[in-house]
Amino acid sequence: MIRVKNISKTYNLWSSPLSRLFMPLAHRILRPVAPTRYETLYKKYCQEIVALENVSFTLDRGDSLGIIGLNGSGKSTLLQIIAGTLSASAGEVETRGRIAALLELGSGFDPEFTGKENVYLNAAILGLTEQEVDARYDSIVSFADIGDAIDHPVKTYSSGMMVRLAFAVQVHVEPEILIVDEALAVGDARFQAKALSKLDTILADGTTLLFVGHDLNTVKAFCRQAVLLDRGRVIAQGLSDDVVAEYLLLAQKNQNKDGGASVSSVPRGFSSDGYQVTSAKIAGYGEHADIAYGTEISIDLEVSLGSTASAPYMIFDVVDPRGLQLTGQRIPIPTEVREASEGNLSIRLTCSFQQGLYRCRFRIVDAPSLAESRMMSRQDGLISIYMLDDVREKFTGIFHVPLHCEWS
């Protein structure tokens, strides 16, 4: 549905309004006859800001991709190019089907028009006929839930009302591609829950989702794949949970460097200062186990440790095929193991998951507190399990939570 090939975007910052007028003329007149002189003048009067550099990815029908990165990494610029509201300096974008884009608060709305008039205007821009809007209008108004304000000018709306109406229009035009750029963060908790539920529905119907947001849990929940941008370049791409982990490490390293230079992509087997899991197996099975519901297993690890962490923890996670973290635990590493620089850890758990494939992730962090956490090692895919039994009659969802139920 979307193919992005070597997209780059460069902005020119001119030293003065006169240079902005003069240099395009020089490009036509001076550059063909004196290219060296032209380049000298160009470098003197124009500064190039690279927002994106050789960004490429593909997205199939019904798939979902999250784009994450620190502020200024080029996320919104990329979405605007894909949506067609901004042109690229180089590269090409191919899209198929109707695109609905929620890029900026109130984009596509006329502030002087009422909410109702803007519904018809925005839907017409997205390619719907008046009859099609008539058929969807009641559903749009009900979903937006802004009451009598639908008949008032949009310029009187709060930011929350604006995003309610804009999102309601976008998701009810039945787009083949939906692009959302952090706008949901403006709505209140109740509306966010309703919006996320609606996203679930349209994804199940085959809509392709391109999502930008700083809510990493939302990215992991709705986006099977993710792309990490840093200063306009793709530095990681893959399962959303893996890319989110790399984003957190990037944010940590940038914080430690006080906004210094960027870091390169972090491999899935990242380790530093001697911290790593050197061996992992499921007792009686090996690295993979096909097991029945309720089976108790023991995961045996051999761990090597350095001496740079003041408060080291082993974090054990179980993740699903989409990379979504299901459960896990922080396990403190005792002093005697740290002093020996190595140790053996046995993790016993009862596997009460629904049918499907799951993998285990191991992280070693230096965490004097929950707010302070420095990753020393992260290893994925060393251990995997496949649950053989379909146990939907026992519980819904992924894993069982004990409940006490009583009729009266």
Side-chain angles (χ1 to χ4, degrees):
M1 295 296 288
I2 301 176
R3 186 173 73 90
V4 175
K5 184 177 179 182
N6 297 326
I7 286 295
S8 296
K9 179 63 177 178
T10 302
Y11 292 98
N12 295 327
L13 297 183
W14 303 98
S15 59
S16 67
L18 182 61
S19 62
R20 184 185 182 93
L21 174 65
F22 167 73
M23 287 306 300
L25 293 174
H27 179 83
R28 289 176 174 269
I29 300 171
L30 183 61
R31 184 171 178 267
V33 296
T36 304
R37 176 60 176 161
Y38 170 79
E39 290 296 331
T40 301
L41 290 173
Y42 182 81
K43 292 178 181 178
K44 180 179 179 180
Y45 293 110
C46 181
Q47 179 185 2
E48 291 187 345
I49 304 297
V50 178
L52 294 171
E53 183 179 355
N54 294 325
V55 175
S56 299
F57 62 83
T58 58
L59 194 58
D60 296 326
R61 178 182 296 275
D63 211 344
S64 53
L65 178 72
I67 300 176
I68 58 177
L70 303 176
N71 289 331
S73 59
K75 305 185 297 297
S76 296
T77 300
L78 176 59
L79 291 196
Q80 290 181 61
I81 291 174
I82 295 172
T85 60
L86 189 67
S87 60
S89 302
E92 58 185 32
V93 175
E94 294 181 9
T95 60
R96 296 180 181 178
R98 176 185 291 155
I99 298 177
L102 193 59
L103 298 177
E104 296 179 6
L105 195 59
S107 58
F109 281 2
D110 187 317
E112 300 297 332
F113 285 8
T114 66
K116 180 176 182 178
E117 291 169 334
N118 272 296
V119 167
Y120 280 84
L121 171 64
N122 206 236
I125 292 173
L126 294 171
L128 266 64
T129 65
E130 185 175 353
Q131 292 73 24
E132 289 174 323
V133 184
D134 288 339
R136 294 169 170 82
Y137 181 75
D138 289 341
S139 296
I140 293 171
V141 173
S142 175
F143 189 91
D145 192 21
I146 59 174
D148 294 338
I150 192 68
D151 294 316
H152 299 163
V154 165
K155 65 182 180 182
T156 65
Y157 286 12
S158 67
S159 58
M161 293 166 64
M162 186 85 77
V163 76
R164 280 171 177 265
L165 187 59
F167 185 81
V169 174
Q170 304 290 340
V171 297
H172 282 86
V173 299
E174 299 178 358
E176 282 85 6
I177 301 171
L178 178 62
I179 300 176
V180 181
D181 184 7
E182 300 186 277
L184 297 183
V186 179
D188 58 27
R190 179 172 171 268
F191 176 73
Q192 287 186 33
K194 183 164 65 171
L196 295 177
S197 177
K198 185 64 176 179
L199 283 181
D200 251 341
T201 302
I202 64 175
L203 285 175
D205 292 339
T207 296
T208 301
L209 175 66
L210 198 57
F211 183 84
V212 162
H214 286 293
D215 186 344
L216 301 179
N217 288 327
T218 301
V219 171
K220 290 192 291 184
F222 286 94
C223 303
R224 190 178 68 84
Q225 299 282 326
V227 168
L228 175 58
L229 290 179
D230 183 45
R231 304 190 183 189
R233 296 170 52 245
V234 175
I235 64 170
Q237 187 171 354
L239 289 174
S240 59
D241 198 60
D242 297 332
V243 177
V244 165
E246 297 186 16
Y247 167 81
L248 294 173
L249 186 61
L250 173 66
Q252 170 189 305
K253 291 198 172 186
N254 273 266
Q255 183 179 15
N256 292 342
K257 294 181 180 182
D258 194 25
S262 172
V263 297
S264 60
S265 177
V266 183
R268 293 178 67 182
F270 166 76
S271 62
S272 68
D273 297 344
Y275 292 86
Q276 65 176 330
V277 175
T278 56
S279 175
K281 63 181 181 179
I282 304 172
Y285 295 94
E287 296 179 353
H288 176 81
D290 294 324
I291 55 179
Y293 175 81
T295 301
E296 183 176 290
I297 62 173
S298 175
I299 299 175
D300 299 328
L301 307 177
E302 294 179 6
V303 183
S304 66
L305 303 167
S307 58
T308 57
S310 60
Y313 285 79
M314 166 69 74
I315 301 180
F316 166 71
D317 297 317
V318 178
V319 299
D320 72 1
R322 295 190 305 168
L324 181 64
Q325 179 180 336
L326 303 179
T327 187
Q329 188 167 324
R330 297 165 63 90
I331 306 167
I333 300 176
T335 302
E336 59 270 20
V337 175
R338 294 160 53 189
E339 291 176 347
S341 298
E342 61 182 11
N344 298 318
L345 175 64
S346 179
I347 302 173
R348 293 182 177 84
L349 73 152
T350 300
C351 297
S352 55
F353 304 105
Q354 279 286 1
Q355 185 182 56
L357 179 67
Y358 303 89
R359 58 188 175 90
C360 300
R361 179 178 63 201
F362 307 101
R363 291 176 287 165
I364 301 176
V365 298
D366 182 16
S369 68
L370 286 175
E372 290 183 77
S373 184
R374 180 166 59 100
M375 192 178 299
M376 312 301 297
S377 171
R378 178 170 61 84
Q379 291 165 279
D380 300 330
L382 298 179
I383 294 294
S384 60
I385 58 175
Y386 186 84
M387 304 300 301
L388 299 170
D389 299 333
D390 184 349
V391 289
R392 285 174 291 177
E393 77 282 357
K394 298 180 183 293
F395 61 91
T396 59
I398 303 297
F399 57 91
H400 177 62
V401 175
L403 302 173
H404 175 70
C405 307
E406 182 177 348
W407 287 102
S408 61

